[in-house]
Amino acid sequence: MTSVGSLVEHAHLGTTAALVLLVAVDPTSRLRDGDGWETWLRGQQRVDRVMRRVAPPVYQAAGVLAVAATVVAARDHDRRAAVCRSAAALCVGASVAVTLRVNEPVNALVRQWRPFDDPAPGWAAARARWERSHRVRRVLAAAAGVAAVAARRA
């Protein structure tokens, strides 16, 4: 493997690890654990403010570097690594799709709500929908991490 290939592989592993920590490990989950409207909404809005800044560059880097690492593996005729890295790229892409189709529309609603107002109609259903799709994202991020590690050369 060339030094560029090694650099791409390490960058791919690093950004995928960051994605796994950010999404699959989910260090912000305790902020969303509030039982009632006000507690949950404050936590969800705090998480949203942070993740709107942090998640996009992590997702972009993880996706782009997974594709780049796939190209490097294909160029080096390493079929196993190319397949694993392609799987990682697909998992990242699928996680982005879930985010855009489900989580982001719920986040847009949540941004309009105020904790001191009466509970918004349907807030519990929106919360449940967001959490279900977030579990899907967590699995996809973990799968991307497993695929990235499986692609490593011995």
Side-chain angles (χ1 to χ4, degrees), residues 42-130:
R42 286 183 192 283
Q44 186 69 25
Q45 288 177 338
R46 176 183 280 161
V47 170
D48 180 55
R49 279 191 303 275
V50 171
M51 295 305 276
R52 277 188 294 166
R53 292 183 205 108
V54 175
V58 172
Y59 267 113
Q60 289 169 356
V64 167
L65 286 163
V67 171
T70 300
V71 170
V72 168
R75 181 201 67 196
D76 292 347
H77 305 290
D78 187 340
R79 182 175 164 79
R80 182 187 54 79
V83 168
C84 289
R85 290 180 180 147
S86 292
L90 289 171
C91 288
V92 171
S95 185
V96 168
V98 168
T99 299
L100 295 176
R101 289 187 51 87
V102 181
N103 297 88
E104 188 49 37
V106 173
N107 289 340
L109 278 175
V110 167
R111 287 180 208 126
Q112 297 172 16
W113 296 338
R114 302 289 167 246
F116 49 82
D117 290 343
D118 288 337
W123 77 272
R127 174 187 184 174
R129 184 169 189 232
W130 192 97

